[in-house]
Amino acid sequence: MTVEEIRELINLAAETGIAELEVQRGDNRVRIRRAAFATQQEFVLAPQSYPAPMAAPSPAPVTPSASPSHEPPKEKPSDPTQVLVKSPIVGTFYEGPAPGAPPFVQVGSRVQPGQVLCIIESMKLMNEIESETAGIVEAKLVMNGQPVEYGEALFAVRTV
Amino acid sequence: MTVEEIRELINLAAETGIAELEVQRGDNRVRIRRAAFATQQEFVLAPQSYPAPMAAPSPAPVTPSASPSHEPPKEKPSDPTQVLVKSPIVGTFYEGPAPGAPPFVQVGSRVQPGQVLCIIESMKLMNEIESETAGIVEAKLVMNGQPVEYGEALFAVRTV
Amino acid sequence: MGRLCLPSVRFNKILIANRGEIAVRVICACKDLGIRTVAVYSEADRYSSHVRFADQAICIGPAKSARSYLDVASIISAAEITNVDAVHPGYGFLSENAGFAEVCETSGLKFIGPRPEVIRLMGIKERARAFMREMGVPVLPGSPGVLKSPEEALELAAEIGYPVILKASAGGGGRGMRIVNQPSELPSLLAQAQQEASAAFGSGDMYLEKFIGAPRHIEFQLLADEYGNVEILGERECSIQRRHQKLLEESPSPAVNDRQRAEISTALRKAIAASGYTNAGTVEFLMDETGKLYFIEVNARVQVEHPVSEFVTGIDIVKSQIRIAQGETLPEILPGPVTLRGHSIECRINAENPDTFVPSPGRITGFHLPGGIGVRVDTWAYTDCVIPPYYDSLVAKLVTYGSDRGEAIRRMQRALSMFIVEGIHTSIPMHQRIMADPDFQAGNFDTNFIKRFAK
Amino acid sequence: MGRLCLPSVRFNKILIANRGEIAVRVICACKDLGIRTVAVYSEADRYSSHVRFADQAICIGPAKSARSYLDVASIISAAEITNVDAVHPGYGFLSENAGFAEVCETSGLKFIGPRPEVIRLMGIKERARAFMREMGVPVLPGSPGVLKSPEEALELAAEIGYPVILKASAGGGGRGMRIVNQPSELPSLLAQAQQEASAAFGSGDMYLEKFIGAPRHIEFQLLADEYGNVEILGERECSIQRRHQKLLEESPSPAVNDRQRAEISTALRKAIAASGYTNAGTVEFLMDETGKLYFIEVNARVQVEHPVSEFVTGIDIVKSQIRIAQGETLPEILPGPVTLRGHSIECRINAENPDTFVPSPGRITGFHLPGGIGVRVDTWAYTDCVIPPYYDSLVAKLVTYGSDRGEAIRRMQRALSMFIVEGIHTSIPMHQRIMADPDFQAGNFDTNFIKRFAK
């Protein structure tokens, strides 16, 4: 019996979910007992990466948002030269220092570290949000006066 | 004995709901014990061979049978030369015509179509179960006096 | 109160001759009583919850009901090889089959339901009606027995006044029924209905009754022990139906007042005791446009909608069925006098398109049950189960309770909005529309509600 | 009855400053009242049910509670940008933080709970004890106020008699507590406890009390409106604890009789009305070996175990909290006089090893809820959810009801056997052992039960 054959037998046992497999061919004998059944072992966390049933692209007649089984979005490979400026607090986004005043920055503006990008008003306090990098504002992601959550992206800045 | 043959035997074990199967062909011997019977259990439920999330081969802290998420077994390509004689009714299996009498057939017996293989007693009626094919009895899958369900495999017959 | 000191038996093991949510319901009652259970199942139900949660399970046949859940020999065999003491028939299937009850008896198995001769009496509707009329229960004007000829039918209809309805003696579920608006239609409609009834029930016996155009369907729940004690557990309003299939039930009925409830209950207690009826049952009435109730039939079994009565009375009806069959008396079984408290509504969550009512079998890929205060769910379904196409489409019963009807409705709306079933269509959206309907909320409806509503 | 004609407000939208099952519970109450909801959540709870079922959801910070669920500024900001009328604090987190209640008030948000000054009074335990003593509620013999010195503690302990227990004024959850068996131990144990209390609560203030070796923990549920009306909703037995963490609660207590319940309720009604307490709350007592009850503290919020009181009284406590905060009176809110019917038990299903109590966070790969008669489940979990390691381990509250304690126990056993959670450990097996215990079944236990039981 070759290793390949034994490997096949092991795969077979795993596939079929049986507890134990014993094979003898003439003088050859193989006995496979699957690990899950070998000991009354305490549990190991299930792998985080299996395709959850509710997340499968099934033709469900209900709306896609009706499921409580939200899967975390896949982390996308991020562009190292693009930085998202996120809100550090919950509050209201203001693009300029006062109503009617011009915005601190616009798409295309070149910004420096420490430069004010916007204001988040929280509990009547105006919190200035500064850029941490030098770069060019590629996108403004929130409308003036819009409420923002913690961690919500405000601007995309291309570092230079 | 090829892996394909062994796979068939495992499928056979799963289909028939038996706990353990031992087959010897000359020098070749296979012994299969099914996962469900690795622990003491009162009745047979799920075949252990499904890819459902709850049955993933993780050593979960509950018993394998604790899940209500039973997946139907995949239909496996069956060996056309092997026939499973299944019980057409619910009842009690008797291998012989009377208590103490020799069994109708034994492993290795050559059988003809219409030959009585066993009796299933149901509601005080003795129902003779006949072979539908000519062949050799390869396995007796039920013990004398044991209750059987509808569709439970009683014998494996190799057609000749 | 009957003979109190009669020794009652104690079941060790019960076989449940049914499937789906009612099989799980009976398993729950048995667990609550410490009685072991045997599930029977067809090949299509191998992975069903009732198989999982019973102590033992026996496959009794292929998917087709006639060869599994309706196959008396297989079920009795399963009972014999598992050594059970009693059989609970659930609803549907063999539950009102007097022959099955008889075979159980001769096989030494206690049938959890009325005795065969009582099932038989109640199954022959014109006999049941005659009996109730004698006992002083108001009965819809109609033929005294089976119609002997079209001529007799014409005479009777003229007496009663049109419209009248033709019904099959052995029938149910709307088959073998015809509404007749004028004498000229009668002969041909009678022939049609007879033919349909023969095909469906094996008997073409027909009777006729006064037809109420916009009735409410109201039924009274009863419990009767084996010593002549009878209790009425209030009524249920079941008027929200589509083609005689109930979709939603509640208790109490918004249309029944305390005086009427007391009057009917008194009459029924007497009639049921005189009939020799035992175990649980339901007496169905139609209410006409003036609020008068007329007896139509007895359902000699537990009903799908029993949980609404359980909520408002605090009485476990299925547990009571088993205890009655064990020979216990109602005074032993019931915690005290029967009183109604609050209001309860049941929505039947079916696997069907909520607009077209077309069944929607298949795999449930996502399943999230609502919970919290005032919510009960009876179901056999679970994430990744498959609703087979062979049986009824009932997936779950969603039942809510409130201190009044308004609270029960609000809680039902909340629970419906938190009940998630993916992979198949369900009747949840339909129930949401019913709950939001001003007529429903006001309690203003009859059996035509769904028709009006669908427009 | 208070001023009945005071105009009550009607909330349009409520922010729920909490997570997990209690956030879902408050959402249910709001849905039942037709009030819209705003959930707040940390980054770790993005996929939690309370986010799914609220009308709006705002992320308020990272996983760490200090920067999310305990961050007053973030929560108030979330309330402001969503234009809510009121804030429900749930239990834990900011629920008994008088400062938070105050900020809500100054921000024009109704805090659904007692007024800040009352929360503050109840939070300072020796002041609460002094107040209750004055009002005629039996209080455990102890120091009249904060211990000023080890010498004063020694004097008081000699007067009361050993053993005594040292407790932190601002404490809770077992921290800052020491049992003293003899005078020689007292000074060093006092120093230890003070240090622990300072670290945990920011205050080293201590008091001492008579120590009861085998007490039962019994608490009374109250509702108080804003016009001086107080109702007591019976008591709960909470003696099944491990290290002061309740595992299982029931109502009524097997150890409290009707006379005692009535006496304590009368005393509490008077005391609570005099204290200016409003909204829901719980008054905790210890019962000594002779059955005498002693006040220990007030929990100025809804409790985890409130559903058992809801089952036996039929009163929706969380809905009542919201209606009280809207300015409604108890006579308007309650369907009638408060009466207790039947028995209810709650098992806390925690994500933890049932033997070692080690938390077991992780992904739930299989989740099947029990249902049927007499079963209520409050949970935020679902198939494939992840129990985060950052917060408490409560996955679900399994609550059963029966017409008596025996029925409630049987139904709990049934429900536990049909509750399937895969992928993580849960306390289900531990609860099954408790339910099967003859002492538990007989109602014979005290707060040492789990210790004896674990052996």
Side-chain angles (χ1 to χ4, degrees), chain B residues 42-47 52-54 65-73 88-92 121-124 147-151, chain C residues 36 41 43 46-48 51-52 54-62 67 72-74 76-78 80-81 103 107 363 382-384:
Chain B
E42 209 186 330
F43 64 100
V44 180
L45 261 192
M54 290 214 204
S65 70
S67 160
S69 257
H70 315 301
E71 282 293 300
I89 48 172
V90 181
T92 306
E121 181 193 346
S122 176
M123 297 186 73
K124 318 290 174 212
V148 293
E149 298 183 301
Y150 170 85
Chain C
R36 291 168 66 221
Y41 62 99
E43 286 181 319
R46 191 172 291 273
Y47 307 105
S48 189
V51 175
R52 164 68 186 85
D55 294 303
Q56 251 180 300
I58 302 287
C59 182
I60 51 163
R67 291 199 47 211
V72 172
S74 290
I76 297 292
S77 271
E80 282 178 347
I81 66 174
V103 177
S107 305
R363 179 177 300 266
Y382 51 86
T383 307
D384 275 326

Side-chain angles (χ1 to χ4, degrees), chain D residues 358-401:
Chain D
V358 172
S360 175
R363 181 178 298 266
I364 291 181
T365 55
F367 197 59
H368 179 80
L369 293 182
I373 191 166
V375 174
R376 166 178 171 184
V377 184
D378 279 32
T379 185
W380 68 271
Y382 52 86
T383 308
D384 275 325
C385 75
V386 174
I387 311 290
Y390 313 105
Y391 314 110
D392 71 31
S393 61
L394 187 62
V395 173
K397 301 190 308 203
L398 178 58
V399 194
T400 60
Y401 175 82

Side-chain angles (χ1 to χ4, degrees), chain C residues 286-350:
Chain C
L286 287 185
M287 180 182 270
D288 70 12
E289 293 82 348
T290 70
K292 252 193 106 178
L293 286 166
Y294 301 99
F295 167 82
I296 44 172
E297 66 181 59
V298 173
N299 293 136
R301 53 168 165 84
V302 69
Q303 301 269 98
V304 176
E305 58 270 25
H306 74 275
V308 296
S309 299
E310 293 185 327
F311 249 139
V312 295
T313 61
I315 295 167
D316 188 325
I317 292 172
V318 179
K319 220 163 90 169
S320 300
Q321 285 191 289
I322 297 169
R323 294 183 64 184
I324 288 169
Q326 284 186 154
E328 293 182 73
T329 66
L330 281 187
E332 289 172 297
I333 293 167
L334 302 181
V338 177
T339 54
L340 306 186
R341 180 161 100 158
H343 197 96
S344 180
I345 303 177
E346 169 183 284
C347 287
R348 301 193 187 190
I349 310 301
N350 294 329

Side-chain angles (χ1 to χ4, degrees), chain C residues 57-297:
Chain C
I58 302 287
C59 182
I60 51 163
K64 214 171 158 352
S65 302
R67 291 199 47 211
S68 48
Y69 299 112
L70 288 170
D71 183 342
V72 172
S74 290
I75 290 169
I76 297 292
S77 271
E80 282 178 347
I81 66 174
T82 53
N83 259 315
V84 301
D85 305 306
V87 174
H88 196 299
Y91 53 70
F93 293 128
L94 298 170
S95 60
E96 290 178 284
N97 182 319
F100 179 61
E102 233 156 40
V103 177
C104 285
E105 214 165 69
T106 57
S107 305
L109 301 163
K110 179 78 183 184
F111 177 82
I112 300 172
R115 286 197 306 278
E117 61 273 22
V118 178
I119 296 178
R120 202 162 275 131
L121 166 70
M122 296 305 173
I124 305 165
K125 291 183 189 162
E126 76 283 355
R127 280 187 54 200
R129 294 193 321 133
F131 177 79
M132 287 294 182
R133 192 184 292 117
E134 271 170 44
M135 297 303 301
V137 177
V139 171
L140 212 54
S143 53
V146 172
L147 294 171
K148 288 176 199 78
S149 65
E151 291 70 32
E152 189 202 1
L154 282 165
E155 255 176 59
L156 278 165
E159 231 171 76
I160 291 165
Y162 288 87
V164 297
I165 185 165
L166 298 166
K167 287 187 178 179
S169 272
R175 281 174 299 179
M177 285 192 188
R178 287 294 183 285
I179 299 157
V180 186
N181 288 304
Q182 46 193 27
S184 61
E185 299 173 352
L186 201 151
S188 66
L189 289 173
L190 178 61
Q192 278 175 32
Q194 274 174 326
Q195 199 170 4
E196 205 172 295
S198 294
F201 316 114
S203 157
D205 285 354
M206 303 294 299
Y207 64 99
L208 73 70
E209 278 176 350
K210 172 144 194 65
F211 176 69
I212 301 170
R216 298 179 81 117
H217 181 121
I218 285 160
E219 59 187 31
F220 284 74
Q221 174 69 48
L222 68 92
L223 287 177
D225 68 18
E226 299 184 345
Y227 315 100
N229 301 303
V230 179
E231 288 288 352
I232 308 297
L233 276 56
E235 82 287 354
R236 292 185 289 260
E237 165 77 59
C238 309
S239 301
I240 311 287
Q241 308 183 341
R242 194 192 66 97
R243 298 197 192 152
H244 300 274
Q245 299 290 335
K246 296 168 191 166
L247 302 173
L248 183 160
E249 302 94 349
E250 55 185 304
S251 183
S253 162
V256 174
N257 59 40
D258 290 346
R259 194 186 46 76
Q260 194 172 22
R261 181 179 303 117
E263 273 172 22
I264 296 281
S265 296
T266 302
L268 285 180
R269 240 190 309 267
K270 186 179 140 222
I272 292 297
S275 74
Y277 192 101
T278 53
N279 217 278
T282 295
V283 188
E284 299 202 330
F285 289 83
L286 287 185
M287 180 182 270
D288 70 12
E289 293 82 348
T290 70
K292 252 193 106 178
L293 286 166
Y294 301 99
F295 167 82
I296 44 172
E297 66 181 59

Side-chain angles (χ1 to χ4, degrees), chain B residues 16 22 25 34 36 39-40 43 48 53 61 65 67 69 78 82 93 97 101 103 107-108 113 116 127 139 149-150:
Chain B
T16 54
E22 195 170 324
R25 289 177 188 165
R34 286 183 56 246
T39 53
Q40 191 54 40
F43 64 100
Q48 304 299 306
S65 70
S67 160
S69 257
S78 60
Q82 197 191 55
F93 174 90
V107 172
V116 174
N127 302 277
E149 298 183 301
Y150 170 85

